[in-house]
Amino acid sequence: MPNISDFSHMLPLAELEVGQHFYWDIGGLSVHGQVFMTSWFVIGALLLVSVLASRNLQRIPSGLQNFMEYALEFIRNLAKDQIGEKEYRPWVPFIGTLFLFIFVSNWSGALLPWKLISLPEGELAAPTSDINTTVALALLVSLAYIYAGFSRKGLGYFGNYIHPTPIMLPFKILEDFTKPLSLSFRLFGNILADELVVAVLVLLVPLFVPLPAMILGLFTSAIQALIFATLAGAYIGEAVEEHHD
Amino acid sequence: MDSLTSAASVLAAALAVGLAAIGPGIGQGQAAGQAVEGIARQPEAEGKIRGTLLLSLAFMEALTIYGLVVALVLLFANPFAS
């Protein structure tokens, strides 16, 4: 099928490669190498910044430590709002990891000039613009909220499924499947759409015109990271919530 | 892929994203209108209203994005292209 990237040899600046991947064969599995490279980069950057910020802790924070404390406070408030004052504490690391990884991934795709590094096939982009990454994250959220429910209530967690009335049972079971589906598709679609819009605009007009779309992309990327973390928190909160009736 | 399949796929991709944009468009318009009304009535609550509005707009936008995902699958990862 003719691909948009067929036009790319006319414009050296613009390239659009969707559905083409840089495959690595690891133990009989073929994996998308470009996603691995960018996610390792993101993980490395996050590790580096957290180590640098917490290496020399001061009672009165300044600079990087101040910034990271602000980030931590933001994540803690997010978790507290969604899960509730009593239960939120053990889930702060999980929700924080999700938020920071997705946020830095999204922004790295938009801000870093990955195009300067050319791969034999495919291109480097935000790790979250690959459906595999987002599905993995969404399934982690599913596991987390099921674990949260069971560890909090034991088998009483199944009471959630018939909570207001037993008529809700099929819908609640269906919800367990639609939750990861919508989480993963929302993130994947938004990030890929941002990158596509920017790429198409760059293809048409390489200078200045794509800038507003890029700024909008930065904004929606940040919102999507926030939404993913908020929803993860809301699902966990829903699973651990006590019903008194 | 034969030409019939590709023609149908392109048409379906256009319809998928175009139709998926209608509902969320109406919804976002209504939400934004209500938010403006709320701010006009209570300007001191602007920050809170703005935050909630942005979050709910992103939720509505996700519905269009689902259509876009279907369109992208049809264009770039078509399961019927043999």
Side-chain angles (χ1 to χ4, degrees):
Chain A
M1 182 171 186
N3 207 323
I4 302 176
S5 58
D6 292 348
F7 300 107
S8 64
H9 55 264
M10 295 189 284
L11 287 165
L13 274 173
E15 239 179 325
L16 199 55
E17 299 179 46
V18 179
Q20 295 172 28
H21 302 290
F22 179 50
Y23 285 104
W24 283 350
D25 280 308
I26 299 175
L29 294 170
S30 61
V31 296
H32 295 173
Q34 86 276 21
V35 180
F36 273 72
M37 286 191 256
T38 44
S39 17
W40 284 335
F41 173 81
V42 169
I43 294 166
L46 281 172
L47 276 178
L48 188 73
V49 171
S50 13
V51 166
L52 281 182
S54 59
R55 200 179 43 181
N56 184 17
L57 290 178
Q58 302 291 324
R59 184 165 287 272
I60 298 163
S62 64
L64 198 56
Q65 189 194 344
N66 208 352
F67 176 70
M68 290 305 270
E69 282 188 12
Y70 170 75
L72 176 67
E73 206 161 295
F74 174 77
I75 291 160
R76 213 170 43 193
N77 283 337
L78 200 161
K80 203 191 285 178
D81 283 347
Q82 298 303 323
I83 305 181
E85 192 86 45
K86 232 168 70 186
E87 307 279 351
Y88 81 96
R89 185 62 196 86
W91 293 102
V92 171
F94 179 65
I95 291 175
T97 309
L98 282 177
F99 176 76
L100 288 177
F101 178 72
I102 294 171
F103 180 71
V104 176
S105 301
N106 294 350
W107 274 32
S108 81
L111 291 179
L112 296 178
W114 290 118
K115 293 275 157 56
L116 297 181
I117 307 165
S118 64
L119 295 177
E121 213 181 343
E123 59 183 354
L124 293 171
T128 36
S129 68
D130 189 287
I131 185 87
N132 298 300
T133 316
T134 61
V135 167
L137 292 170
L139 288 178
L140 272 181
V141 171
S142 287
L143 283 182
Y145 81 74
I146 291 170
Y147 166 76
F150 276 119
S151 69
R152 185 76 189 80
K153 300 183 188 164
L155 287 179
Y157 172 60
F158 289 115
N160 269 20
Y161 285 84
I162 50 168
H163 174 243
T165 63
I167 304 166
M168 292 300 283
L169 180 67
F171 302 106
K172 294 262 177 162
I173 292 172
L174 202 61
E175 222 172 46
D176 274 344
F177 293 96
T178 55
K179 273 172 185 174
L181 191 79
S182 64
L183 268 183
S184 56
F185 271 28
R186 180 182 303 121
L187 184 58
F188 161 71
N190 269 292
I191 304 309
L192 187 63
D194 282 344
E195 299 206 332
L196 272 182
V197 166
V198 171
V200 167
L201 279 179
V202 169
L203 201 72
L204 297 173
V205 193
L207 287 178
F208 303 117
V209 176
L211 263 179
M214 286 175 180
I215 293 166
L216 182 73
L218 281 183
F219 179 68
T220 45
S221 307
I223 296 270
Q224 287 308 317
L226 178 66
I227 281 197
F228 198 98
T230 308
L231 277 178
Y235 293 158
I236 293 167
E238 204 177 296
V240 298
E241 169 188 44
E242 294 286 347
H243 303 299
H244 299 288
D245 51 4
Chain B
M1 188 184 337
D2 62 66
S3 59
L4 185 64
T5 318
S6 47
S9 302
V10 169
L11 203 61
L15 282 178
V17 70
L19 290 179
I22 296 175
I26 296 170
Q28 290 194 329
Q30 246 165 25
Q34 295 283 334
V36 169
E37 219 170 272
I39 293 173
R41 193 172 301 160
Q42 248 179 320
E44 69 273 13
E46 191 192 343
K48 225 169 182 179
I49 291 175
R50 192 196 290 129
T52 321
L53 175 70
L54 286 180
L55 210 67
S56 31
L57 284 185
F59 275 112
M60 289 178 233
E61 200 181 61
L63 300 172
T64 313
I65 298 289
Y66 296 155
L68 181 76
V69 168
V70 171
L72 289 177
V73 165
L74 283 171
L75 288 180
F76 297 109
N78 197 319
F80 305 109
S82 46

